[in-house]
Amino acid sequence: MSIESIIKGKVVEAVNSCYGQEIDNETVQIQKTRREFEGDLTVVVFPFLRFSKKSPEATANDLGVFLQENIDAVTAFNVVKGFLNLVIDSSYWISVLNTAFQSENYGFKKLEAGAKKVMIEYSSPNTNKPLHLGHIRNNLLGYSVAQILKANGYEVIKVNLVNDRGIHICKSMLAWLRFGEGETPESTGLKGDHLVGKYYVKFDQEYKKEIEALAANGMDADEAKKQAPLLLEAQEMLVKWEAGDEEVVALWRKMNDWVLAGFDVTYQKMGVDFDKVYFESETYKQGKAIVERGLEEGVLYRKDTGSVWANLEADGLDHKLLLRDDGTSVYMTQDIGTAYERFNEFSIDEHIYVVGNEQNYHFQVLSLVLGKLGYEWSNKIQHLSYGMVELPEGKMKSREGTVVDADELMDEMVNTARDTSNELGKLQGYSTEEAEDVYNKVAMGALKYFILKVDPKKNMMFNPKESIDFNGNTGPFIQYTYARIQSVLKKTVDEGIEFPEFANTAIEISEKESNLIQMIANYPVIIKEAGDTTSPAQIANYVYDLVKEYNQFYHDFPIAKEDNVELRAFRMVLSKQVAQVIKSGMELLGIGVPERM
């Protein structure tokens, strides 16, 4: 049981003993003592004044006397207005450190029978273009949340839904047919996703030319957008695809295979994976069947033009299209089919969709429509809505080809890490393979940390140069601290000092050392909070604060050169445990930590 839990229980007893009142544990507020005051933990006294009928100071004093007499670890207390500051004995904190040091997977809960089963969908790319910076935030966020939920003892299923059909896919296909002259990934040396993305941009360029030509001949601009021959042909291709036209389907398969092979390379480089991959081309039929059933049952309605809709006015929304006039499906249709398949296959307790905040309305509607169709699990859908990633130059646009390509960005980050490391001369003696491993860890650590340290709900500005700085709140700064600890401990052992199994609880430690242990003790709490809020930023910023605190300790206190054998052993244990928490926390973010930098 944590010291906070012990104090809460004893405060409940104290209020009963001193004032004859029964209170609940939840009434007791405990926080870290502010640095300008003496103490480790602070009890907020104001909620108890109505029971004591005394001043805040007198009430705090009553409780302080009781707690000091009834909790061995409380050695002293002081009162500042309505706040009771408690001093916790060093021996207690050292015992906390020893427990953490000797624990396997400290802070993690084990997966047990009957654990909550959560499915998390992330990535969800379209097969008409390569992954870009926005996809990077999506993938990193989804993967990290999955790791954090596992650490909270959940059974987690990571899935990807590849949007491999629809009008946008047909645009790439049509442009390749018209302008590609048989180009392939092999003939061009381009990754398949890059090659297909090239023709998605080409379609938009040629489509705009057609609109301008129609407008120049007197057609209304909006009408020109609808009547441009390329768009009409792409729409016709989609109808043929859904009808199973052999020629169209064969082209679709060939180009999709190019893209999927390219995606696999990007995912591997990014360090993310999936337990199962779904394809919209396989799930949309189930969605159409469910929509048709909803139509028969009167839950949905068909317009005179042939399109099928859901009326959501009773829920404060509008009408939602589910099938077009020509019978082809929309995103909502396949999401209905995909959700049905997943809940039937896995009996999940919760489904988290990691999708940008521009789709907030979509997921609100998805849950409502599924509820109207009679699915009890419709309320188990959660949308992890995240903000957009922007660059100093402004927003990205896929159709215009003004996106930051994921592969190019990651390669650029690795090159920057390589150049920085070579300038510092830190990897002398490493083989080429070992050095490249470090460059990759530093580069991806910089990228991932810079993105994940931001609250998912917020929009963010990504600056590659800032992210790879070795100072400040960055991945490389944290990685460097971990490597520094490894170096110090190795040097200590190399000097013939045996590594201790635990620290002696009888020694006196400094306030800075006590603060470090308290931060370590808080790690399981942070993991839980990060899981409850589905926010890797909680982990990222905790690890940064821990690193800052350790670096101050390292600057002020010797380790290998400490003459007191017991104190030196304690600092070795403390340093190793700090390193272990850094490594554990960074792994929850999908970030590796090099042993040397």
Side-chain angles (χ1 to χ4, degrees):
M1 184 184 294
S2 70
I3 189 67
E4 289 86 354
S5 298
I6 294 169
I7 292 170
K8 280 190 175 186
K10 290 300 178 183
V11 169
V12 170
E13 289 181 27
V15 170
N16 191 11
S17 174
C18 296
Y19 313 123
Q21 292 288 336
E22 297 279 349
I23 64 166
D24 192 272
N25 268 33
E26 298 304 312
T27 311
V28 185
Q29 301 172 40
I30 298 176
Q31 57 197 33
K32 183 88 174 67
T33 302
R34 288 167 57 177
R35 295 214 170 187
E36 59 265 36
F37 302 122
E38 181 190 6
D40 298 301
L41 297 170
T42 296
V43 179
V44 181
V45 172
F46 296 108
F48 314 126
L49 301 185
R50 59 196 177 104
F51 306 133
S52 69
K53 313 296 184 190
K54 295 182 180 182
S55 69
E57 291 80 0
T59 305
N61 193 70
D62 288 344
L63 298 180
V65 169
F66 185 94
L67 295 179
Q68 189 172 352
E69 289 176 352
N70 288 276
I71 302 176
D72 291 339
V74 176
T75 58
F77 71 90
N78 63 83
V79 177
V80 179
K81 298 183 179 178
F83 299 93
L84 170 61
N85 302 321
L86 304 174
V87 178
I88 309 300
D89 189 57
S90 292
S91 63
Y92 173 80
W93 294 124
I94 297 172
S95 69
V96 168
L97 172 64
N98 285 334
T99 299
F101 185 65
Q102 293 163 347
S103 298
E104 187 179 357
N105 291 327
Y106 171 65
F108 288 26
K109 290 183 179 175
K110 291 181 179 177
L111 175 63
E112 296 178 350
K116 184 176 181 180
K117 188 184 290 187
V118 179
M119 178 173 284
I120 180 161
E121 175 193 296
Y122 56 96
S123 198
S124 305
N126 297 329
T127 57
N128 63 322
K129 55 191 175 185
L131 303 180
H132 56 61
L133 179 56
H135 292 114
I136 288 179
R137 188 177 197 188
N138 180 296
N139 279 278
L140 300 185
L141 188 56
Y143 181 83
S144 181
V145 168
Q147 298 303 102
I148 291 166
L149 293 180
K150 285 181 187 176
N152 277 284
Y154 296 167
E155 181 181 350
V156 178
I157 305 160
K158 298 176 291 184
V159 298
N160 184 5
L161 173 66
V162 178
N163 296 302
D164 62 340
R165 59 160 299 282
I167 190 67
H168 51 293
I169 309 298
C170 290
K171 287 176 180 179
S172 294
M173 291 163 58
L174 181 59
W176 182 84
L177 270 181
R178 283 280 194 90
F179 314 108
E181 297 180 353
E183 281 191 347
T184 67
E186 291 75 22
S187 70
T188 60
L190 287 173
K191 278 176 78 231
D193 50 333
H194 289 185
L195 178 64
V196 173
K198 170 184 167 183
Y199 287 100
Y200 182 61
V201 173
K202 180 68 173 173
F203 178 94
D204 192 60
Q205 292 168 345
E206 298 299 324
Y207 172 52
K208 284 177 178 175
K209 289 178 186 176
E210 291 187 346
I211 294 171
E212 288 171 6
L214 291 171
N217 287 328
M219 186 178 285
D220 175 75
D222 287 338
E223 188 64 21
K225 289 177 183 177
K226 296 176 185 175
Q227 296 301 324
L230 263 180
L231 179 64
L232 294 177
E233 197 172 340
Q235 290 171 340
E236 184 185 348
M237 182 179 274
L238 177 60
V239 173
K240 286 182 177 179
W241 183 90
E242 290 205 14
D245 181 279
E246 288 184 13
E247 194 173 325
V248 172
V249 170
L251 174 62
W252 167 80
R253 282 209 176 95
K254 176 167 69 175
M255 293 182 71
N256 262 359
D257 286 347
W258 291 346
V259 176
L260 295 175
F263 284 168
D264 285 344
V265 173
T266 307
Y267 289 140
Q268 188 173 1
K269 194 182 297 184
M270 206 182 293
V272 302
D273 59 9
F274 310 94
D275 298 310
K276 182 163 183 175
V277 178
Y278 291 84
F279 295 91
E280 185 184 345
S281 57
E282 296 170 357
T283 62
Y284 87 99
K285 291 179 182 177
Q286 179 69 66
K288 288 181 79 169
I290 292 171
V291 168
E292 292 291 351
R293 178 178 60 76
L295 192 61
E296 291 171 10
E297 293 174 357
V299 176
L300 308 174
Y301 72 95
R302 191 190 298 276
K303 286 187 177 181
D304 293 340
T305 56
S307 57
V308 178
W309 298 71
N311 183 350
L312 303 175
E313 288 180 347
D315 301 287
L317 298 177
D318 51 10
H319 294 244
K320 179 61 184 176
L321 174 69
L322 298 176
L323 289 176
R324 297 189 185 93
D325 292 351
D326 59 10
T328 58
S329 60
V330 294
Y331 272 130
M332 186 63 67
T333 323
Q334 64 85 7
D335 270 346
I336 289 168
T338 308
Y340 173 84
E341 288 189 11
R342 289 171 177 173
F343 276 93
N344 270 14
E345 183 178 357
F346 290 101
S347 300
I348 48 182
D349 299 305
E350 186 176 358
H351 191 325
I352 301 173
Y353 292 87
V354 182
V355 183
N357 56 18
E358 77 277 13
Q359 295 295 328
N360 288 350
Y361 170 79
H362 176 90
F363 286 99
Q364 185 183 4
V365 170
L366 176 63
S367 181
L368 285 171
V369 171
L370 286 168
K372 288 183 181 298
L373 290 166
Y375 298 114
E376 294 178 358
W377 40 260
S378 63
N379 61 354
K380 294 180 179 180
I381 287 172
Q382 179 187 339
H383 175 203
L384 201 176
S385 170
Y386 64 89
M388 295 297 98
V389 185
E390 295 180 8
L391 295 157
E393 301 81 40
K395 293 184 178 180
M396 302 179 290
K397 296 178 182 177
S398 295
R399 275 191 290 270
E400 296 175 13
T402 59
V403 298
V404 176
D405 179 77
D407 293 308
E408 290 176 8
L409 175 60
M410 288 188 286
D411 288 343
E412 179 188 326
M413 296 291 287
V414 172
N415 290 334
T416 304
R418 185 184 294 110
D419 293 343
T420 304
S421 188
N422 288 338
E423 283 174 22
L424 297 173
K426 294 288 185 181
L427 298 182
Q428 292 173 358
Y430 266 36
S431 68
T432 302
E433 189 176 293
E434 289 170 332
E436 285 298 325
D437 180 60
V438 173
Y439 303 147
N440 275 283
K441 282 180 177 173
V442 171
M444 295 311 298
L447 174 63
K448 293 180 180 184
Y449 184 83
F450 198 91
I451 286 175
L452 293 174
K453 72 178 181 181
V454 179
D455 185 310
K457 296 181 182 66
K458 294 180 179 178
N459 288 349
M460 67 170 293
M461 182 82 70
F462 178 72
N463 188 319
K465 290 180 181 176
E466 282 182 23
S467 73
I468 209 156
D469 197 330
F470 278 69
N471 296 300
N473 190 4
T474 66
F477 173 66
I478 293 169
Q479 290 172 317
Y480 183 72
T481 301
Y482 174 84
R484 168 187 274 176
I485 296 173
Q486 299 311 306
S487 176
V488 169
L489 295 178
K490 182 179 183 300
K491 183 180 177 183
T492 307
V493 173
D494 286 347
E495 290 177 0
I497 300 169
E498 190 174 340
F499 207 96
E501 293 181 19
F502 55 86
N504 186 342
T505 57
I507 61 173
E508 285 299 316
I509 60 175
S510 69
E511 181 183 356
K512 198 166 289 293
E513 289 163 326
S514 173
N515 286 340
L516 266 175
I517 299 173
Q518 289 176 59
M519 291 188 77
I520 290 169
N522 203 37
Y523 183 48
V525 177
I526 296 295
I527 292 175
K528 183 179 186 306
E529 288 177 356
D532 290 345
T533 58
T534 56
S535 174
Q538 300 248 30
I539 301 288
N541 290 294
Y542 162 82
V543 174
Y544 173 62
D545 289 340
L546 178 65
V547 162
K548 277 197 304 182
E549 191 76 23
Y550 180 84
N551 279 320
Q552 290 174 10
F553 153 77
Y554 177 79
H555 180 268
D556 294 342
F557 296 92
I559 299 174
K561 293 181 180 178
E562 172 57 53
D563 294 329
N564 183 310
V565 174
E566 295 291 355
L567 196 50
R568 182 180 64 203
F570 159 76
R571 288 176 185 163
M572 290 173 71
V573 169
L574 177 61
S575 296
K576 188 164 185 178
Q577 186 56 35
V578 167
Q580 185 53 44
V581 172
I582 293 171
K583 183 177 184 179
S584 170
M586 293 293 264
E587 285 176 349
L588 290 178
L589 303 177
I591 299 172
V593 282
E595 297 297 307
R596 177 183 161 194
M597 283 174 68

